[in-house]
Amino acid sequence: MTVYRFTIPGKPYAKRRPRAGYSPKLGRSITFNAPGNAEAEVSVAHYAGQAIPAPIEGPVRVQIVAVFEIPKSWSKKRQREALGTLHTSKPDFDNLCKNLCDGMNRIAWRDDSQVADVRTVKIWGERNETLVEVGPCPRAFSGWQQNDYRDLRDRIVGDEATDE
């Protein structure tokens, strides 16, 4: 099972929402991609294309570590304490994933619907960069029985969950 790893230098980019506006020429409202989204996807595609020779078939696992540079304005003590700790401010992790998954379409996989397992971690570090690991998803869930699912559900949502 081959796993591919690559690093995207620069500040991790979170995909922005599409924008809407009115077109007097068309006489109706239109939506368009937010500025920066296309450039970010091209950057992801560039680095992914260098690391991944062909699209992966079947379910895919993606692991992302978004590293944010510690602000220089913070005290030296605060900078030391923050190094390697979790980054809990914006951008949201799901928008980071959207940008990366859309950028890897047709490079790491045929379509991002193949992505079945994603883990994203945001941390403080010495420099801005995004570390990505992509590979086939192990079929750990393939032999599950109905009771296994219920046990997992009960562990996640608690024993009070009932079937309706």
Side-chain angles (χ1 to χ4, degrees):
M1 179 164 52
T2 304
V3 175
Y4 304 101
R5 293 177 182 90
F6 60 95
T7 301
I8 303 168
K11 189 172 182 179
Y13 183 84
K15 188 162 191 162
R16 292 178 173 85
R17 296 184 186 279
R19 300 291 172 214
Y22 181 78
S23 170
K25 185 176 180 180
L26 298 175
R28 60 182 171 87
S29 64
I30 58 169
T31 59
F32 53 93
N33 203 1
N37 285 351
E39 293 87 0
E41 287 178 20
V42 167
S43 177
V44 170
H46 169 75
Y47 291 103
Q50 290 180 336
I52 304 170
I56 298 168
E57 296 297 325
V60 177
R61 169 186 277 174
V62 179
Q63 296 187 66
I64 301 162
V65 178
V67 183
F68 293 87
E69 184 176 4
I70 298 170
K72 304 282 189 239
S73 61
W74 289 7
S75 70
K76 296 293 182 194
K77 179 182 176 187
R78 187 174 178 193
Q79 287 180 18
R80 279 192 309 276
E81 290 171 350
L83 191 62
T85 62
L86 297 175
H87 179 280
T88 57
S89 51
K90 293 203 179 268
D92 298 347
F93 81 95
D94 56 332
N95 294 328
L96 293 167
C97 289
K98 285 177 200 170
N99 171 57
L100 290 164
C101 288
D102 288 347
M104 289 189 281
N105 266 341
R106 295 174 302 283
I107 295 169
W109 47 73
R110 286 184 321 284
D111 186 75
D112 56 0
S113 64
Q114 289 176 249
V115 178
D117 185 357
V118 178
R119 174 154 188 204
T120 303
V121 178
K122 301 185 320 178
I123 63 171
W124 290 109
E126 294 178 357
R127 65 184 164 280
N128 288 315
E129 60 187 353
T130 306
L131 314 170
V132 182
E133 183 177 285
V134 179
C137 189
R139 301 191 183 265
F141 301 98
S142 62
W144 278 27
Q145 302 297 318
Q146 181 68 18
N147 290 339
D148 296 332
Y149 164 76
R150 287 190 178 128
D151 291 343
L152 178 62
R153 180 201 59 194
D154 290 346
R155 282 190 286 163
I156 294 170
V157 297
D159 292 330
E160 63 276 354
T162 58
D163 291 330
E164 296 181 23

